[in-house]
């Protein structure tokens, strides 16, 4: 079982950047397919980005494509979300999530596909 802890959130002006980190403990991160999700006040949780164990495959929501980059450093047991050109609509609590990467097909952009979640980190983008 893996425990996930996010960090790096904060307040930033529109057009700015933040890098979120998700640190794993309890088990090597290299076993896990990882995703980032976010939830804004009054809205449903939504998919942001996902990455497989080897980082050979990455996926993004259309709303963040070209602005956000997901990456991982398995040696450091950490997954990152680099967020550039932030917009006020990116304001949300950001969560990292993980599931064992068996190499098979699954719905990477569905929260129900993931078994482990962090506590979230707040990102606020001011206009």
């Amino acid at each position: 079982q893996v425990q996930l802890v996010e960090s790096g959130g904060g307040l930033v002006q529109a057009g700015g950047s933040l890098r979120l980190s998700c640190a794993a403990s309890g088990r090597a991160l290299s076993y896990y397919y990882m995703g980032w999700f976010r939830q804004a006040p009054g809205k449903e949780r939504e998919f942001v980005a996902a990455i497989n164990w080897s980082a050979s495959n990455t996926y993004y929501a259309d709303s963040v494509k070209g602005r956000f980059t997901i990456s991982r450093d398995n040696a450091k047991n950490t997954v990152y979300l680099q967020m550039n050109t932030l917009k006020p609509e990116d304001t949300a609590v950001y969560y990292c999530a993980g599931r064992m990467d068996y190499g098979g097909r699954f719905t990477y952009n569905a929260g129900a596909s993931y078994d482990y979640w962090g506590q979230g980190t707040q990102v606020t983008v001011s206009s």
Side-chain angles (χ1 to χ4, degrees):
Q1 191 160 340
V2 67
Q3 291 80 44
L4 304 173
V5 178
E6 304 94 335
S7 62
L11 174 64
V12 63
Q13 288 190 330
S17 298
L18 282 174
R19 187 176 81 157
L20 305 184
S21 298
C22 173
S25 62
R27 195 165 184 183
L29 192 66
S30 57
Y31 292 104
Y32 293 86
Y33 199 109
M34 300 298 295
W36 284 97
F37 290 76
R38 66 187 182 187
Q39 187 167 21
K43 294 190 176 181
E44 297 284 318
R45 181 178 61 194
E46 65 175 357
F47 168 76
V48 175
I51 187 168
N52 70 334
W53 76 272
S54 65
S56 59
N57 293 316
T58 57
Y59 304 95
Y60 297 93
D62 288 342
S63 59
V64 307
K65 204 171 292 184
R67 299 188 298 122
F68 290 12
T69 302
I70 188 171
S71 62
R72 65 192 298 158
D73 185 337
N74 288 338
K76 294 184 177 179
N77 259 14
T78 304
V79 175
Y80 304 98
L81 184 69
Q82 177 67 44
M83 305 187 295
N84 298 329
T85 319
L86 283 160
K87 304 176 181 179
E89 51 263 44
D90 294 318
T91 294
V93 177
Y94 283 70
Y95 300 90
C96 69
R99 59 168 278 150
M100 289 290 289
D101 191 346
Y102 300 107
R105 294 171 64 92
F106 73 102
T107 309
Y108 60 82
N109 59 351
S113 295
Y114 296 82
D115 301 308
Y116 305 102
W117 292 81
Q119 83 290 346
T121 186
Q122 176 71 47
V123 172
T124 303
V125 185
S126 62
S127 56

